[in-house]
Amino acid sequence: MTVSFQPNSDLKRCGTSRNGLELWEAIGDDAAFNVYCSLVRKRFIVIAVFAPSDIMDLKLYVNRGRGLLEADAITFESARGMVVVLDVGAVGLLRKFRLDPASHPVLFELQVSTFPTREAAEFHARTMLKMIPELKEIRKLQLPAFTLPKLNWSWFRRRRDNTAAYIRAHYEFAAHDESPVESLGAGCWLSIIVPVYNTPARYLNDLLGSFSSQDVEGVELILSDDGSTSHETRGWLEQNKTAKGVRVVSNVRNGGIAVASNAALRIASGGWITFLDHDDLIAPHALRTIKRHIIKNSRAVFHFTDEVIVDDQLRPKGLMLKPAYDPVLLTGVNYINHFSLYRRDRLAELGLLRPGYDGSQDYDLLLRYLQGLRSEEICHINYPAYWWRHTGRSYSARFAEQAALNARRAIADSFERQGKRIQVQESAIGSLHRVRFIELEGDWPAVTIVIPSKNSLELISRVLHGVFEDTDYPNFKVVVVDNGSDDESVIELYNDYTKRFPNFSSEIINEDFNFSRSVNRGFRHSKGSHVLLLNNDIEIMDAQWLKEMVECLQFDHVGIVGAKLLYPNKTIQHAGVIVGFGGLAGHWYSQKHWNFGGPMNRLHVRNSFSCVTGAAMLIASDCLTTVGAWDEVNFAVAYNDVDYCLRAGYAGYRVVWTPFACLYHHESLSRGPDTEGARLKRFEKEKERLQAIHGTRAFRDPSIHPAFSTDRSEPIVLIPMNANGSM
């Protein structure tokens, strides 16, 4: 049922009229039908009302987010009858409105019909006018299908939260996309696996409705009952097991999610497999969008989508807008999560889901499935295809601690398969993870710390003290590359450190400041070791910072590692650099609270970025050999770190940022800003060169979702302007 009319006590059903319509009598002055729409439904409702011997004053109450208010009512001109064509959308969060046929006693005829297209609805309306000449006219109305009941829109405006508008735009574009969908071969191309256990019927109704409304063929929904004891659940499954596209698997005993899912997998016929939770939904037009994407990206063997977080009444609470595939981020949080598409043949080779990882069985499967795949074989579908009902009823929510422990077991297993000895610890949040490479203990590689500097006794004293006295790392040396200090106290400091520490040296050359040149001078002292670039205005906070940065080099293909930097007031200075911000490159979430988690709590775990700042940058020795020197000509002072990170990326190296190496950065205190005179002119030229060499005006950084704005450090979600989801 996509729409139902429920009469109140002032209405009486009187049979069928001679015109074949339902005959009703309004017996009071408050006659009303409460009209309920399914979440997914046929888009058009045609209402024909006719009073054979009286006048009606029809009124329609629409919920515009404030309840059914008189101010939002639509009043129709008094007449004996009328045909109303309502466009309620193929899917919508408006689930209820009210139709008042008359405010006085009257006998009237009523017909309610639903149609998927405007053409069919209007044809039916014209037919009704011909059949009953007394019907006055056709009124066409479009109701706010995506209005959120009782939602405080001023709160959304304060938060700059575009969630409802964002998903509405995507779904409306998809609804109007009439481009043909190619075939993926005969038969079933997608099997949707849903383990079910004592699920309320209303959840299953919503799930089935969201499946049945998909405008694509060749898909099956396999509901695998995990030995439910609920009569409601078992009755619903029995009643709906013959619904179109639905298959039901009955498991005698409760074996857990993995066992139930595997039972469904064994009978699945689709070439692709996806897994849904029993209380969640498929978003409007998701399957057609996904099918187009699979056909377009024929070399991919894995696809994942975005998610809408909804409450129990299916009102959107937030979005999970995901970056491109990032294996480093995936070791800290299962950000890929829902509505991922797997090749059935590859799943069979892996041995399906493994029991014993309850609450994180999907995480374990994901890590096993993705291992060995190339990045180009893993595709992100920029579409909010999954509605995740966040109610606290799921296994992982009710047994969060056990689910987190099982997730860490799955992560440890994935590294063991690669022959790497690790431990997995809790991150800043209990549900997040931190991989520790214990194989490095006792065998830490050599690191050359290069500190460009000039004068600035207070700064260089503090950073050297922090490195030599407050850093726990057994195998490093420090080289200060000085471009002309004439402060005797600074020179005396260098001499003192040279006497006290055999792993310290300084080199003073009187020359104009060129950060890239200073870095390259430092490189010449590295002799095959890793190199850590460190600004002289850095202050050490934690003794383990350097070990953490070196540990990150153990992830596959990592060539550069950046640290988390804070301003002295404990706000964020550096949590990764997004290439393309401001048409150039900019710091993400600058000046947010030091413990700010960012989207999906990403800032509490390690991430891959296109770029990190050179103020505290570790460069692996092989990356340095491959990529070479910093560009002294084009980027003497600004954007040299961006240029170098991008060149490293082109060479196949990954750039990683870690929150577990946290330092204070007293930014630019030794030089001052580049806001006037020759410095400003040079800065402007270096901006132009960055745009010319790396195309940063049009750069789409894979470390953030395409919907995020690039005009500010704290991005907002942009509403797509075309059917491809582009901004």
Side-chain angles (χ1 to χ4, degrees), residues 393-405:
R393 293 174 59 93
S394 68
Y395 180 94
S396 57
R398 290 181 289 124
F399 304 98
E401 184 176 354
Q402 185 61 47
L405 291 174

Side-chain angles (χ1 to χ4, degrees), residues 454-472:
K454 178 181 178 180
N455 291 325
S456 307
L457 177 63
E458 180 181 354
L459 297 180
I460 191 64
S461 298
R462 179 167 55 207
V463 71
L464 289 178
H465 181 275
V467 170
F468 282 98
E469 306 292 343
D470 300 328
T471 297
D472 179 14

Side-chain angles (χ1 to χ4, degrees), residues 578-583 699-700 704 708-712 715-716 718:
I578 305 299
V579 179
F581 268 20
F699 194 96
R700 295 305 312 181
I704 64 169
F708 282 130
S709 65
T710 57
D711 61 343
R712 65 197 75 194
I716 60 173
L718 299 175

Side-chain angles (χ1 to χ4, degrees), residues 505-549:
S505 65
S506 61
E507 179 185 76
I508 302 176
I509 298 178
N510 193 358
E511 58 187 3
D512 291 338
F513 179 73
N514 182 317
F515 188 80
S516 294
R517 184 190 302 131
S518 295
V519 167
N520 291 335
R521 283 171 53 196
F523 285 166
R524 290 193 285 271
H525 294 268
S526 63
K527 296 181 180 179
S529 71
H530 302 321
V531 174
L532 177 81
L533 305 180
L534 200 63
N535 275 19
N536 67 350
D537 52 2
I538 291 292
E539 181 179 352
I540 307 303
M541 297 172 59
D542 175 66
Q544 301 296 313
W545 68 279
L546 185 51
K547 284 185 176 179
E548 165 60 20
M549 296 184 76

Side-chain angles (χ1 to χ4, degrees), residues 450-515:
V450 175
I451 306 176
S453 190
K454 178 181 178 180
N455 291 325
S456 307
L457 177 63
E458 180 181 354
L459 297 180
I460 191 64
S461 298
R462 179 167 55 207
V463 71
L464 289 178
H465 181 275
V467 170
F468 282 98
E469 306 292 343
D470 300 328
T471 297
D472 179 14
Y473 195 84
N475 191 9
F476 72 88
K477 67 177 181 179
V478 173
V479 179
V480 177
V481 283
D482 191 305
N483 65 307
S485 284
D486 52 14
D487 185 334
E488 289 296 331
S489 58
V490 170
I491 297 172
E492 183 178 342
L493 178 73
Y494 293 163
N495 292 335
D496 178 57
Y497 269 86
T498 301
K499 294 175 184 177
R500 292 170 55 203
F501 300 103
N503 55 337
F504 173 85
S505 65
S506 61
E507 179 185 76
I508 302 176
I509 298 178
N510 193 358
E511 58 187 3
D512 291 338
F513 179 73
N514 182 317
F515 188 80

Side-chain angles (χ1 to χ4, degrees), residues 50 80 89 100-101 254 272 300 406 432 488 523 577 623 682-683:
F50 170 56
R80 289 181 62 189
D100 290 13
N254 177 251
W272 291 90
N406 287 337
L432 305 180
E488 289 296 331
F523 285 166
V577 173
C623 178
R682 187 217 67 245
F683 182 52

Side-chain angles (χ1 to χ4, degrees), residues 162-199:
N162 293 332
T163 298
Y166 178 84
I167 62 174
R168 178 170 60 238
H170 270 285
Y171 300 157
E172 287 180 351
F173 286 138
H176 292 90
D177 185 357
E178 298 180 354
S179 59
V181 182
E182 299 177 37
S183 173
L184 274 172
C188 180
W189 65 272
L190 175 64
S191 297
I192 302 170
I193 306 298
V194 183
V196 173
Y197 181 70
N198 289 346
T199 311

Side-chain angles (χ1 to χ4, degrees), residues 28 203 257 319 394 476 514 545 552 577 612 614 617 713-714:
Y203 287 176
I257 296 173
L319 293 166
S394 68
F476 72 88
N514 182 317
W545 68 279
C552 289
V577 173
V612 292
M617 176 192 289
S713 177
E714 184 177 358

